[in-house]
Amino acid sequence: MSPTSIYLHIPFCKHRCAYCDFNTYAGQEDSIPDYVNALIREIDYVASQQANYSTSEPGGTAIHTIFFGGGTPSLLSGSQFDAILKALRAAFALSADAEISIEANPGTISHEKLDAIRDAGINRISFGVQSANTEELRMLERIHDFFTVIESVFNARKAGFDNLNLDLIYGLPEQTLASWKTTLSRIVDLHPEHISAYALTLEHGTPFGSWSSKGLLPLPDSDLAADMYEYAEEFLAGNGYVHYEISNWARDIDSQKSKVEDPTCSFRDLTPSYACRHNLQYWHSHPYLAFGAGAHGYANGYRYSNALRIKTYIERLVDPSSFTSHPFPLSPAAVNQHKQTIQDDMSEYMLNNLRLTIAGAVESDFRMRFGCGLLDVYPKEIEELIHLGLLESKTSGISETPEVYRLTKRGRLLGNQVFLRFV
Ligand code: SF4
């Protein structure tokens, strides 16, 4: 059984960006101290229920990654991160080499704060850069410019962070292939260990969603967006980044070539060393606990989520002992819970693992979890997708039976068509 991960949601932003539909609120920073106290109460409550959880160890559930997502986690102070991490260490068995990440907006994290969060134990930062083009950043209503990105990366390196991700969005209104190429080249010049590049999605209820429905958003057509994606694949590979998930690239310490030539090496071993271990937990369909307003978790057979609003979340945790007992890992803040069936787990296994461009959906892993093979459950779907050129199978070299199914180059562009078959 894999160790568990932890996600903590920090739903505060200085300003709401025009395309964003995340559970986050601008202008509520006064609530941060109460929110941090509520998070600690939720951690303590969930920990008090963990005794019978299957990955529980004498010191509590074994945890190997923690991720502070948002919102803008970098709005919390070093001492607030310290207090939350102390509560997590007291509650669970955190591994010595745990990956502990925060999302940060360039410009919201001073040199002093970087030192403080490093001292608190955070060892990975994911900066929401989105673009290196001033006009594009303005259109997205981001509060930073690219100079601030350079400064933030420089300060993070100075504070000792040796694992940085830079997040990008492509397919922006009026974006050209030339401007996307410039963004990628400027990002690579900053030598991050990890790069994420997501296509812009128009979400209902956002200003971008409403402008687009009125025909006011000149978006690149799908061919141009596909060209941007293909250029990223080619350019990042040429600069030493391994494309390990549909939208994610990472540097590797060892050469991929020597790994490929090693006959004992499995497809999973080809995952680059700087891959985000926390996100791999989701893509491998392994368990994670969730804390905070609107946070989603998956553990002990449950998928669950907490109350969205900051005020409701805090109120629900004022006195957790006054609530009736909740099964692990649910807390009094949970408002949705679903007991997973084996069919849910199998379907999610395919949706998550097929996002992994090298490791894919693994026959031996699926068999170990569910007691049957991939072709026993999805014969028609797999055959059809291979026939359409969206999926490919690979053998391990030890047996003739396919060990891995993964997206082809075309499948990566048309991922949704693949995933739909397994819903
Ligand atoms: S900073 Fe991030 S989370 Fe906050 S509004 Fe902008 S996109 Fe959304």
Side-chain angles (χ1 to χ4, degrees), residues 396-407:
S396 63
I398 298 167
S399 123
E400 290 294 295
T401 317
E403 168 63 357
V404 157
Y405 294 92
R406 61 191 188 190
L407 299 176

Side-chain angles (χ1 to χ4, degrees), residues 135-198:
E135 281 310 306
E136 289 167 8
L137 286 171
R138 202 171 290 156
M139 191 171 342
L140 291 170
E141 297 187 9
R142 300 294 302 199
I143 56 173
H144 65 269
D145 55 23
F146 194 64
F147 179 73
T148 319
V149 173
I150 298 171
E151 202 178 16
S152 296
V153 169
F154 177 79
N155 285 340
R157 294 297 192 202
K158 219 164 135 201
F161 285 94
D162 57 6
N163 193 356
L164 298 182
N165 170 54
L166 302 183
D167 254 339
L168 300 175
I169 304 180
Y170 65 94
L172 302 173
E174 290 184 8
Q175 189 175 35
T176 60
L177 188 55
S179 105
W180 175 235
K181 285 183 177 180
T182 306
T183 285
L184 283 172
S185 143
R186 288 186 179 162
I187 291 300
V188 163
D189 284 348
L190 294 174
H191 305 292
E193 282 69 32
H194 192 282
I195 295 171
S196 303
Y198 287 90

Side-chain angles (χ1 to χ4, degrees), residues 239-369:
N239 281 279
Y241 290 89
V242 180
H243 190 189
Y244 72 100
E245 194 269 350
I246 293 182
S247 306
N248 286 275
W249 287 258
R251 284 197 184 281
D252 205 11
I253 291 171
D254 312 309
S255 108
Q256 286 282 303
K257 191 167 175 287
S258 62
K259 282 187 188 173
V260 172
E261 283 166 2
D262 176 356
T264 63
C265 181
S266 77
F267 289 95
R268 287 251 161 114
D269 296 333
L270 295 173
T271 301
S273 25
Y274 282 106
C276 175
R277 286 166 54 198
H278 184 83
N279 285 343
L280 282 172
Q281 187 82 357
Y282 303 150
W283 297 322
H284 287 156
S285 287
H286 286 154
Y288 53 97
L289 310 179
F291 300 100
H296 288 247
Y298 169 62
N300 205 21
Y302 289 97
R303 280 218 178 259
Y304 62 100
S305 62
N306 283 347
L308 289 173
R309 301 208 165 266
I310 294 170
K311 191 164 169 282
T312 319
Y313 172 76
I314 294 174
E315 280 169 5
R316 281 180 167 247
L317 287 156
V318 168
D319 180 12
S321 63
S322 68
F323 287 81
T324 50
S325 163
H326 293 70
F328 181 84
L330 307 177
S331 82
V335 289
N336 293 304
Q337 63 187 73
H338 172 71
K339 193 76 185 156
Q340 294 281 105
T341 63
I342 192 161
Q343 282 75 21
D344 294 332
D345 279 337
M346 285 176 172
S347 158
E348 287 168 15
Y349 181 95
M350 297 308 284
L351 298 182
N352 292 327
N353 282 266
L354 283 177
R355 296 194 61 88
L356 295 168
T357 52
I358 304 171
V362 183
E363 172 68 21
S364 52
D365 185 35
F366 191 87
R367 202 171 271 284
M368 199 169 67
R369 286 196 205 190

Side-chain angles (χ1 to χ4, degrees), residues 13 15-17 19-20 22 24 71-72 105 142:
C13 285
H15 170 81
R16 194 156 180 112
C17 305
Y19 59 97
C20 177
F22 295 156
T24 189
T72 309
N105 276 345
R142 300 294 302 199

